C-alpha cells in the first residue's frame, strides 16, 4: 500500500462566522451525517465494520499513544507507521476498498506485527481474529458482481447475481408497488428474494407473486440499517430545533419520515424543499445518494454532508449561474433558430443555487470536489437542482499535480503551475452545465408526452425522427443500468472541457492575456489534463474481470480514446515499455481547430442518446470507446508503476462545551486522522 498524502479539510474560519444557532444546527447535522458511517461500511464489505472496530479499539487501548503500544508489543516503528497509514486510509475511504477505483486496501504491516499490537487486550485480540483473514486476503480485490475476484454487499445470498434475468422482473414489480431501489438491497434465499429496505420501522410487507417469476416469491423486508438510521433520526430531531427557517424544518421532517418508514417519496419531497432553500449558511446532504458502487447502477450508497458557506466564492459562482442561459446556447445540440433551445434542452434554464462551501462533515467513501444534486431527473426537470463546490477539498488539488509523470519533462513545471486553474473551472462547469442541462423525452403517463409523438423531433445524430423515449415509469438509471453513471459523468466532463475556452468564463475567473496565468494557458492545460486523466483512468480498469472500477475513470479514458481517433494529430503518445516511460503531448495549434469540434461530436452523441433513452446505440458507442486493447494494456502497466499516492482527508469535529459549540481540528497525519475518528463517536446517541 502506497503511503497516503494527507490533507486537512480546514473549516475553522468559516465555522467561526456562523451564529450560535447556526453552529448548533451544523453540529447536530454533522452528528447525523457521521452516524451513517456503519451503513457505508456495511455497504462496502462484510468485514469493514469489524476492521473499523479494531482500529478504534486499538486507539482506545493506548489512548492514542501509539509508540507506547508498539514498544510494549515489541513492534518496530516502521511497522507501526504502516499500520497507521493503513488505518487512516481505511477511515478516509470508510472501508477497505478505495472510494475511487474500488480496489482493495491491504495493509503493508505483517500479520505477525499486527497480532502483537492486538494481543495485549482480549477485546482487540478477538476483533483481530474476526477480520484478520479478510483484511490480508488478496481476493476479492475489487467491488463488483460476486466472483472469486470481486464482491458486493448490495446483493446477498448464495449465487444471488447469477440470476440476473430475475432482476428485471423484480425491478418491474418494485416499480408497480411504488418501491424505489435507492435505499434497498436484494437478498436471495432459495426461491425467495427479499427486498431489504433501509428504515427504522421493521417488518415484512407480505409476499409478492409475479407471473414472470413462476415458483418464486418476493418480500419487502423493512429495517435494514435500523440502528444507524434510528441514531440519525435522533440527531436530526435535535437539529430541527435550530433550523434557520421553516423550509429547513419541513425538509428535516420529510427526512425523518423517509428514514423511519423507508418511503422514498418522502425523501423526494425533502429534496424538492432542499432545492428551494437558497444559499443557506449551513448546507446539508444526507441519504442514499450515489449509485456508483451498485454493480447494476441503481442502488445508492449512504452519505452525509455538512458544509459552511464561503460567501465570497459563492458570489462568483452565482454570477456564472446567471450566465448559464447564454452559455447553453453554445452547446452542440442547441439549434437556436427560432430563439428556443430546441427539443433536447429546457427552454428556460432556471439558474440553480450554486455555492462554495467548506466541509465540516463529508461522510462518504469518496469526497468529491463538487456535486450536483438531486439525482432524480423528475425533480431536476420540474423543480431544479443545486451545485456545491467544496473549496477546502478543491484546495488539496492545488497542492499536487496528478499524473505528472505522464507529462514530458519539458512541460512538467508549467503543467504543475497551471493545472489547478484549469481543473477548478472544469469542475465548476461540469457541475452547473454538465449535470444541469438536457431535456429527456418522456411519456410520463400513457398518452401524455412532453413532445409531439405524431411529429417527433429529428435526431441530430441520425438525421431521422427519434424512435425512442422514456416510457411511463422509466428512469435514466433504470434504462441505461450499469453504464448510466459513467455516461452521465462523461457527458458532464465533456461539457466542462467543451466550454472552457469561452472568453467570458475565463474572464470571470480572472484569466486573460494580461493575467499571470494566461487564458490560453488554461485552455492548453485543460486538453493536456484530458490526456493525462484518460491515461490515469487505466489504473481503475481490472483486466482480470474486464471491468471498470470507477465511473469517472472510464469516462476520462473514453474521452481520450475518442480524441485520439477523431482528431488528426492533436495528441502524440510516446511509449517505451522497456524504460517504463509513457508521455503525452498536445499540439497547441490544433486545440480549437480539431480538439473542440471532436469533443462536440462526442458530447452530442451522448447527450442525444441520454435524452432519447437510446440505450442500445449508447452502449455500442461507449463500450467501444472504453474497450482496452493491447496498446492500452501496455499503457496501463506503466501508469500503475507511476501511480500517485492516495489522498486521505482529515475532518474537524464539533463538541458542546459550556453551553456553546467548539470546533476541533486535527493535524494532517495518520495519527490525526485516527484521533479525529476516535473522538467522532459515530455510535453515540444524543443525550
Amino acid at each position: 500500500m502506497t503511503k497516503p498524502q494527507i490533507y486537512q479539510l480546514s473549516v475553522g474560519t468559516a465555522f467561526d462566522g456562523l451564529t450560535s444557532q447556526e453552529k448548533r444546527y451544523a453540529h447536530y447535522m454533522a452528528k447525523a451525517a457521521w452516524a451513517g458511517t456503519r451503513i457505508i461500511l456495511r455497504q462496502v464489505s462484510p468485514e469493514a465494520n469489524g476492521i473499523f472496530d479494531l482500529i478504534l479499539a486499538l486507539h482506545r487501548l493506548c489512548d492514542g499513544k501509539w509508540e507506547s503500544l508498539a514498544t510494549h508489543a515489541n513492534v518496530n516503528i516502521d511497522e507501526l507507521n504502516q499500520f497507521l497509514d493503513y488505518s487512516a486510509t481505511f477511515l478516509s475511504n470508510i472501508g477497505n476498498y478505495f472510494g475511487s477505483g474500488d480496489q482493495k486496501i491491504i495493509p503493508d504491516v505483517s500479520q505477525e506485527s499486527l497480532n502483537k499490537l492486538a494481543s495485549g487486550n482480549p477485546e482487540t485480540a478477538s476483533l483481530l481474529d474476526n477480520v484478520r483473514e479478510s483484511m490480508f486476503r488478496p481476493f476479492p480485490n475489487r467491488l463488483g458482481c460476486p466472483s472469486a475476484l470481486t464482491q458486493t454487499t448490495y446483493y446477498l445470498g448464495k449465487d444471488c447475481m447469477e440470476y440476473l434475468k430475475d432482476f428485471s422482473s423484480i425491478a418491474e414489480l418494485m416499480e408497480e408497488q411504488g418501491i424505489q431501489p435507492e435505499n434497498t438491497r436484494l437478498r436471495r434465499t432459495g426461491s425467495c428474494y427479499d427486498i431489504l429496505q433501509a428504515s427504522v420501522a421493521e417488518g415484512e410487507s407480505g409476499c409478492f407473486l409475479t407471473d414472470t417469476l413462476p415458483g418464486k416469491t418476493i418480500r419487502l423486508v423493512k429495517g435494514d440499517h435500523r440502528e444507524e438510521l434510528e441514531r440519525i433520526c435522533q440527531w436530526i430531531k435535535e437539529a430541527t430545533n435550530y433550523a434557520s427557517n421553516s423550509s429547513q424544518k419541513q425538509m428535516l421532517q420529510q427526512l425523518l419520515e423517509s428514514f423511519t418508514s423507508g418511503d422514498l417519496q418522502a425523501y423526494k419531497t425533502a429534496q424538492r424543499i432542499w432545492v428551494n432553500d437558497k444559499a443557506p449558511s449551513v448546507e446539508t446532504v444526507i441519504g442514499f445518494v450515489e449509485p456508483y458502487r451498485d454493480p447494476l447502477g441503481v442502488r445508492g450508497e449512504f452519505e452525509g454532508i455538512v458544509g459552511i458557506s464561503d460567501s465570497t466564492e459563492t458570489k462568483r459562482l452565482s454570477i456564472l449561474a446567471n450566465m448559464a442561459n447564454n452559455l447553453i446556447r453554445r452547446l452542440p445540440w442547441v439549434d437556436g433558430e427560432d430563439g428556443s433551445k430546441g427539443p433536447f434542452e429546457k427552454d428556460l434554464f432556471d439558474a440553480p443555487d450554486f455555492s462554495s462551501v467548506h466541509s465540516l462533515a463529508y461522510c462518504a467513501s469518496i469526497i468529491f470536489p463538487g456535486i450536483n444534486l438531486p439525482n432524480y431527473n423528475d425533480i431536476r426537470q420540474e423543480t431544479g437542482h443545486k451545485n456545491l463546490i467544496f473549496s477546502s477539498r478543491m484546495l488539496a488539488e492545488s497542492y499536487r499535480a496528478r499524473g505528472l509523470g505522464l507529462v514530458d519533462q519539458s512541460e512538467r513545471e508549467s503543467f504543475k503551475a497551471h493545472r489547478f486553474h484549469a481543473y477548478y473551472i472544469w469542475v465548476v462547469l461540469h457541475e452547473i452545465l454538465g449535470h444541469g442541462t438536457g431535456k429527456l423525452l418522456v411519456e410520463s403517463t400513457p398518452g401524455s408526452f412532453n413532445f409531439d409523438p405524431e411529429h417527433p423531433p429529428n435526431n441530430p445524430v441520425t438525421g431521422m425522427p427519434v424512435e425512442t423515449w422514456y416510457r411511463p415509469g422509466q428512469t435514466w438509471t433504470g434504462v441505461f443500468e450499469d453504464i448510466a453513471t459513467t455516461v452521465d459523468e462523461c457527458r458532464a466532463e465533456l461539457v466542462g472541457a467543451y466550454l472552457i475556452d469561452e472568453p467570458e468564463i475565463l474572464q470571470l475567473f480572472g484569466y486573460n492575456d494580461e493575467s499571470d496565468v494566461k487564458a490560453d494557458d488554461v485552455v492548453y492545460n485543460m486538453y493536456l489534463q484530458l490526456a493525462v486523466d484518460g491515461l490515469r483512468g487505466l489504473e481503475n480498469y481490472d483486466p482480470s474481470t474486464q471491468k471498470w472500477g470507477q465511473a469517472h475513470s472510464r469516462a476520462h479514458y473514453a474521452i481520450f480514446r475518442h480524441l485520439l481517433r477523431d482528431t488528426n494529430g492533436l495528441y502524440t503518445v510516446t511509449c517505451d515499455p522497456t524504460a517504463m516511460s509513457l508521455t503525452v503531448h498536445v499540439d497547441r495549434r490544433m486545440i480549437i481547430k480539431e480538439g473542440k469540434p471532436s469533443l462536440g461530436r462526442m458530447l452530442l452523441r451522448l447527450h442525444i442518446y441520454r435524452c432519447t433513452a437510446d440505450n442500445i446505440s449508447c452502449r455500442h458507442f461507449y463500450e467501444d470507446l472504453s474497450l482496452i486493447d493491447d496498446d492500452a494494456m501496455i499503457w496501463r502497466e506503466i501508469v500503475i508503476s507511476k501511480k500517485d499516492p492516495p489522498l486521505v482527508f482529515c475532518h474537524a469535529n464539533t463538541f458542546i462545551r459550556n453551553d456553546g459549540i467548539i470546533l476541533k481540528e486535527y493535524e494532517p497525519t495518520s495519527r490525526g486522522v485516527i484521533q479525529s475518528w476516535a473522538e467522532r463517536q459515530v455510535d453515540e446517541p444524543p443525550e
Side-chain angles (χ1 to χ4, degrees), residues 518-566:
K518 305 291 188 291
D520 187 54
D521 294 330
V522 174
V523 176
Y524 177 78
N525 193 279
M526 175 76 266
Y527 281 81
L528 186 51
Q529 281 191 58
L530 288 173
V532 168
D533 286 357
L535 291 171
R536 285 184 59 250
L538 291 166
E539 296 173 3
N540 292 323
Y541 174 78
D542 185 352
S544 62
T545 60
Q546 298 184 342
K547 298 290 185 183
W548 288 89
Q550 220 280 339
H552 298 77
S553 295
R554 185 176 183 179
H556 291 151
Y557 179 76
I559 293 170
F560 180 51
R561 178 63 81 179
H562 184 273
L563 287 167
L564 283 176
R565 291 181 182 178
D566 193 53

Side-chain angles (χ1 to χ4, degrees), residues 350-403:
D350 187 14
D353 196 16
F354 202 168
S355 299
S356 176
V357 300
H358 298 271
S359 172
L360 174 64
Y362 200 138
C363 183
S365 61
I366 181 169
I367 298 176
F368 289 108
I371 58 174
N372 177 289
L373 293 173
N375 286 334
Y376 298 101
N377 276 307
D378 56 339
I379 299 178
R380 298 171 70 83
Q381 300 210 113
E382 297 164 10
T383 307
H385 54 94
K386 277 188 179 183
N387 300 277
L388 299 178
I389 296 294
F390 296 93
S391 55
S392 48
R393 166 65 179 87
M394 288 289 290
L395 191 60
E397 294 295 332
S398 69
Y399 293 131
R400 66 175 193 158
R402 291 183 292 175

